[in-house]
Amino acid sequence: ETGVTQSPTHLIKTRGQQVTLRCSSQSGHNTVSWYQQALGQGPQFIFQYYREEENGRGNFPPRFSGLQFPNYSSELNVNALELDDSALYLCASSPDTGRYGYTFGSGTRLTVV
Amino acid sequence: DQQVKQNSPSLSVQEGRISILNCDYTNSMFDYFLWYKKYPAEGPTFLISISSIKDKNEDGRFTVFLNKSAKHLSLHIVPSQPGDSAVYFCAATQGASGSRLTFGEGTQLTVNP
């Protein structure tokens, strides 16, 4: 069974640009969550998708948006990038919306300059 | 509003001794708690969890204790090994769906040979 894979691993963007981060869920997992981890902090919940529908959102502005595809892969899109968006973005998949079995990817390190 | 807090950014112990990592929470609705371990350049890896109906859960060298009245949990690692050196995150969730995890800031554990 494959784990959760994220791409790219590192990315540098300019303030005001848009970025798309990608996540391939673990086989058999139909739920994906995205987290932002700023330096020296714990991961913060951005949103979750279950069967292609948003199923909960954290305290992030609308310029953070997502998609989940029929194969359960997922994208995180961030528009109008700000310097404070610089962080590690983690994707986690699970076999259901339940609390068990969250598997995290290694993350995408986004730097906004 | 930091609902889950890990007040010790770092902890250093000798190999073979006990490591105790602490976590406090403020939201009384949390009913399930998890510990994750994170190595550099990797995503968080699930370690152990506990439901609010229990006060202790043990898995090999790892034991988690929950004190609901104090809104406090701790992770004990006995005996500590150099390979345990990592950042440890406490996380909490609520409700049957558990769609979001609320993380603490993390504690860097260093186990010295």
Side-chain angles (χ1 to χ4, degrees):
Chain A
E1 103 187 341
T2 59
V4 176
T5 56
Q6 294 187 241
S7 62
T9 55
H10 295 83
L11 198 54
I12 299 175
K13 287 286 191 177
T14 303
R15 188 172 50 184
Q17 284 188 316
Q18 179 266 343
V19 69
T20 297
L21 309 181
R22 294 181 173 82
C23 172
S24 178
S25 300
Q26 183 165 321
S27 177
H29 287 189
N30 58 14
T31 302
V32 64
S33 303
W34 285 90
Y35 289 81
Q36 179 196 66
Q37 185 182 4
L39 200 60
Q41 297 184 21
Q44 290 203 16
F45 176 77
I46 303 175
F47 43 58
Q48 183 185 78
Y49 279 81
Y50 171 64
R51 295 185 176 177
E52 303 176 57
E53 297 284 333
E54 188 177 291
N55 181 49
R57 188 178 183 92
N59 189 26
F60 281 81
R63 59 190 185 82
F64 284 78
S65 63
L67 279 174
Q68 186 182 30
F69 300 100
N71 66 354
Y72 302 133
S73 65
S74 175
E75 286 182 356
L76 165 65
N77 298 289
V78 187
N79 293 322
L81 283 166
E82 300 177 359
L83 297 179
D84 285 349
D85 296 333
S86 295
L88 180 67
Y89 288 85
L90 294 162
C91 169
S93 73
S94 60
D96 207 337
T97 59
R99 58 188 63 168
Y100 307 103
Y102 284 102
T103 302
F104 281 84
S106 299
T108 293
R109 172 72 63 187
L110 173 65
T111 303
V112 183
V113 297
Chain B
D1 173 22
Q2 188 70 23
Q3 297 187 62
V4 177
K5 284 193 68 64
Q6 295 175 253
N7 290 314
S8 297
S10 63
L11 174 68
S12 182
V13 300
Q14 285 299 119
E15 181 178 5
R17 306 294 292 269
I18 185 172
S19 295
I20 301 176
L21 297 99
N22 294 302
C23 177
D24 296 294
Y25 62 96
T26 58
N27 188 342
S28 58
M29 298 299 291
F30 287 145
D31 60 0
Y32 196 75
F33 304 89
L34 309 92
W35 284 93
Y36 282 82
K37 178 170 70 173
K38 187 178 186 301
Y39 294 116
E42 294 184 14
T45 303
F46 171 75
L47 198 56
I48 192 169
S49 62
I50 188 167
S51 165
S52 60
I53 63 174
K54 295 186 174 182
D55 55 16
K56 176 183 175 181
N57 189 26
E58 191 171 355
D59 183 3
R61 296 187 297 115
F62 303 91
T63 303
V64 56
F65 296 92
L66 175 62
N67 182 334
K68 289 189 293 292
S69 61
K71 294 189 176 69
H72 177 84
L73 64 155
S74 61
L75 174 68
H76 293 209
I77 306 174
V78 182
S80 301
Q81 299 174 353
D84 295 330
S85 297
V87 177
Y88 288 78
F89 290 100
C90 166
T93 188
Q94 66 182 84
S97 68
S99 65
R100 69 178 68 185
L101 298 174
T102 301
F103 284 86
E105 306 94 323
T107 297
Q108 171 69 59
L109 172 66
T110 302
V111 180
N112 301 302

